[in-house]
Amino acid sequence: MVDSSPSDAESHSLEAVCREIAALASPVDRTDRIPLSVAVGRVLAADATAATSVDTADVVVGDTIFQAGRRIRPADVGLLKAAGVNELRVRQRPQVGLVPTGDELDDAAGGDRTETAGFTLAQYVDRWGGKVTYRNPVADDPPALRMAVQRDLTRDAIAVTGTEPGDSLREVVADLGDVLVDRTAVDPGGNTGLAVVEGRPVLLLPEAPAGVRVGATQLLRPLVKALADAPLTPFPERRVELTRGIETDASRRSFVPVTVDDDGATPIPDRDLDAVTRADGWVTVPSGSTGSAAGTTVTVENWDAFP
């Protein structure tokens, strides 16, 4: 049963939620045979073997050029083409259903706001290697929410936006399956949760743009990579001095959007859609810390880097 009391509910650490996701995320077994021209970004399901010799690369016929599990980079395709490889056996992209929820988004319920969270996430999931089914917003109506979740159980994973502990969606998911995590000890995005329905991981994301971005980057991205059996590469980062101090809640891991210029990294105080869009990167402040003073050198991660 979903606990609707924020003061009594347990907030799970990010590491604990990641362990739950790892336990749920079995690699997708389906494979495709695709031409080399569209192979960049895909994960090999079988070894790529040379059909011709390449003297300049010390490759002979029958050599394994790249092993299964490798994510093909733009630089790889030249060697593969030179070795006579024109097709590759790759893993299918894991299918992710994205379901925005909320009466304020649903035209049928008189909603007057444009849906952006799910639409934005669809672009990220595509870049991370997933195949997205982006749904129309669903009103906060239990039968409609139930149908929306059940409809996407044919996908490998589901991400729902606009939900928080104690709402109708959590109750529906708890009835269909199990809510493993109701809250996560992060800021923003503390209302992010994780459920499993009929063996499918269901990521429960909040409504606020910054909270959605944190939950998706820290949890949905690793889930998509695990389902694709692809490596989870670190984000590009740089070390920059803070122009202003950062104050955070020591009980949570905090993620602070910043702009970066020649003067350093400047925290963005607001966390609405405009602020998240303007961010050049994010600074992570671990739990147990209350922040960093101006002049401190911090690590800024670029969450928008491909992939």
Side-chain angles (χ1 to χ4, degrees), residues 13-303:
S13 71
L14 193 59
E15 290 80 3
V17 183
C18 286
R19 286 194 296 271
E20 294 279 8
I21 285 178
L24 293 172
S26 299
V28 177
D29 291 332
R30 300 180 296 274
T31 64
D32 291 320
R33 181 167 291 279
I34 62 171
L36 186 61
S37 58
V38 295
V40 172
R42 303 297 294 272
V43 177
L44 288 177
D47 294 349
T49 304
T52 60
S53 298
V54 184
D55 295 337
T56 56
D58 195 24
V59 171
V60 299
V61 175
D63 279 355
T64 297
I65 305 172
F66 299 121
Q67 294 181 333
R70 182 183 181 89
R71 188 173 187 273
I72 297 298
R73 304 173 303 174
D76 297 339
V77 296
L79 177 57
L80 289 165
K81 186 171 181 61
V85 179
N86 296 311
E87 291 185 333
L88 294 172
R89 175 70 66 180
V90 299
R91 289 191 177 277
Q92 283 192 0
R93 300 166 67 189
Q95 299 178 21
V96 179
L98 292 182
V99 185
T101 68
D103 289 343
E104 71 280 3
L105 305 176
D106 183 61
D107 290 339
D112 58 359
R113 284 177 46 191
T114 301
E115 200 291 305
T116 60
F119 182 77
T120 302
L121 283 189
Q123 320 311 310
Y124 277 101
V125 172
D126 181 76
R127 293 179 64 183
W128 295 335
K131 185 176 182 180
V132 181
T133 302
Y134 170 65
R135 300 296 189 179
N136 291 329
V138 181
D140 292 325
D141 171 67
L145 293 169
R146 187 182 188 93
M147 290 178 60
V149 173
Q150 291 178 316
R151 171 186 57 192
D152 275 344
L153 291 175
T154 57
R155 305 306 189 259
D156 300 299
I158 304 172
V160 185
T161 64
T163 175
E164 61 183 23
D167 69 5
S168 299
L169 187 279
R170 299 286 175 107
E171 293 174 357
V172 166
V173 171
D175 185 55
L176 291 172
D178 295 299
V179 177
L180 305 179
V181 174
D182 216 15
R183 291 177 173 83
T184 308
V186 297
D187 181 45
N191 285 338
T192 296
L194 176 66
V196 57
V197 177
E198 297 184 16
R200 295 291 189 266
V202 181
L203 190 60
L204 307 168
L205 295 167
E207 178 185 7
V212 171
R213 190 70 53 87
V214 168
T217 303
Q218 301 301 313
L219 299 174
L220 184 55
R221 179 175 180 259
L223 175 59
V224 171
K225 294 294 187 180
L227 289 169
D229 201 20
L232 182 64
T233 55
F235 288 112
E237 59 185 41
R238 47 183 162 172
R239 300 281 288 170
V240 188
E241 285 190 3
L242 285 173
T243 64
R244 293 203 306 262
I246 293 173
E247 295 183 4
T248 58
D249 182 348
S251 68
R252 299 174 176 274
R253 179 178 297 185
S254 297
F255 299 90
V256 182
V258 297
T259 58
V260 179
D261 56 24
D262 292 341
D263 294 328
T266 302
I268 301 175
D270 298 323
R271 292 179 176 177
D272 57 12
L273 182 60
D274 178 64
V276 170
T277 302
R278 289 190 294 114
D280 295 315
W282 295 73
V283 174
T284 302
V285 181
S287 59
S289 172
T290 57
S292 300
T296 302
T297 299
V298 296
T299 299
V300 178
E301 290 186 328
N302 181 4
W303 289 359

